[in-house]
């Protein structure tokens, strides 16, 4: 059973949304590789790393088990499920089929004020990259991209992409952060917003294609 490992962000608070906050942080830790495939973790040990009680962590882990992100190991805890290279390729392919044309269409259709409202989130991504905070990076990155896709007005599409993102793994972010190269990837979000606000559909396609390429390239390499 893994008790050590990288420190996870302290999560203070309580309430109905608290369980989901813990679940989101755990998902981000899985995606970033802070919690690795086949490791077995107990709720109390993870709670200690988050600085919270075991109850919301245990509840959040049950949510993740329903999503197939962890498996229950009787009398031991929860094992992080592995994702094959083929699965990652498939997830990225489906995301490209959905996200590139949908985002490109927003260049002509999206309200400029709604696009501008995403700039603070894009700046959060850059700040997280500079700080080397991978869990904050993934959290802000998800809020940015799902918020952008939501502007297309198709809630089901957003949920499909949310699920694909949860199943992805971006272990290469750790090396990029350590090498000081993560900021360049983070700034693509600002570049994308600028292209959208300029109504430059082809530029949006290029940035989104390059950005999703990182998911199976720079960001994915262990």
């Amino acid at each position: 059973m893994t008790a050590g490992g990288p420190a996870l962000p302290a999560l203070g608070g309580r309430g109905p949304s608290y369980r989901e906050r813990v679940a989101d942080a755990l998902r981000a830790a899985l995606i970033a590789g802070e919690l690795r495939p086949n490791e077995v973790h107990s709720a109390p040990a993870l709670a200690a790393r988050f600085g919270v009680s075991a109850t919301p962590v245990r509840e959040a882990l049950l949510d993740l088990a329903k999503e197939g992100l962890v498996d229950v190991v009787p009398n031991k805890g929860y094992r992080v499920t592995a994702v094959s290279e083929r699965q990652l390729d498939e997830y990225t392919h489906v995301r490209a089929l959905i996200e590139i044309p949908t985002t490109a269409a927003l260049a002509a259709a999206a309200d400029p004020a709604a696009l501008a409202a995403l700039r603070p989130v894009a700046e959060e991504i850059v700040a997280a990259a500079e700080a080397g905070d991978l869990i904050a990076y993934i959290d802000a990155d998800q809020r940015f991209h799902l918020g952008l896709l939501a502007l297309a007005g198709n809630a089901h599409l957003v949920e499909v992409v949310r699920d694909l993102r949860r199943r992805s793994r971006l272990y290469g972010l750790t090396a990029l952060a350590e090498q000081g190269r993560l900021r360049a990837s983070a700034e693509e979000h600002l570049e994308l917003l600028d292209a959208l606000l300029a109504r430059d559909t082809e530029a949006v396609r290029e940035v989104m294609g390059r950005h999703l390429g990182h998911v199976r390239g720079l960001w994915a390499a262990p």
Side-chain angles (χ1 to χ4, degrees):
M1 186 177 300
T2 302
L8 297 175
L11 296 172
R14 60 183 63 190
S17 65
Y18 188 44
R19 169 177 176 166
E20 189 56 35
R21 285 182 58 211
V22 174
D24 284 343
L26 283 170
R27 291 186 192 99
L30 288 169
I31 293 167
E34 302 283 3
L35 304 177
R36 286 281 181 167
N38 299 316
E39 290 180 346
V40 177
H41 300 271
S42 70
L46 286 174
R49 290 169 63 184
F50 275 106
V52 298
S53 66
T55 298
V57 174
R58 188 173 292 108
E59 292 172 344
L61 285 166
L62 289 173
D63 290 339
L64 268 60
K66 292 176 184 177
E67 296 167 13
L69 302 180
V70 299
D71 294 321
V72 178
V73 181
N75 302 317
K76 291 186 178 181
Y78 302 82
R79 178 183 291 111
V80 178
T81 57
V83 181
S84 71
E85 292 296 311
R86 179 172 180 175
Q87 286 175 307
L88 291 175
D89 286 339
E90 291 173 349
Y91 299 157
T92 306
H93 180 62
V94 175
R95 284 187 59 187
L97 290 174
I98 295 173
E99 293 186 65
I100 293 175
T102 301
T103 306
L106 292 174
D111 178 2
L115 291 171
L118 289 170
R119 189 170 295 276
V121 186
E123 291 170 347
E124 278 186 55
I125 300 170
V126 174
E130 291 178 335
D133 187 338
L134 301 185
I135 293 179
Y137 184 100
I138 288 172
D139 174 70
D141 180 74
Q142 173 164 287
R143 284 186 284 115
F144 176 87
H145 285 286
L146 296 185
L148 186 59
L149 291 172
L151 300 181
N154 187 329
H156 183 66
L157 178 151
V158 174
E159 286 308 308
V160 169
V161 174
R162 187 194 307 274
D163 181 65
L164 290 169
R165 291 178 62 92
R166 287 174 175 174
R167 296 176 185 279
S168 297
R169 297 292 183 268
L170 304 174
Y171 299 156
L173 292 181
T174 300
L176 288 177
E178 291 172 349
Q179 296 163 11
R181 299 168 56 201
L182 189 55
R183 181 183 174 116
S185 292
E187 288 179 340
E188 288 178 345
H189 300 84
L190 295 169
E191 184 182 356
L192 179 60
L193 275 183
D194 289 342
L196 285 162
L197 288 166
R199 304 299 192 190
D200 189 337
T201 301
E202 288 310 308
V204 172
R205 285 185 180 277
E206 189 280 324
V207 176
M208 274 302 301
R210 176 172 16 114
H211 193 65
L212 284 175
H214 293 333
V215 173
R216 289 300 293 127
L218 289 173
W219 296 7

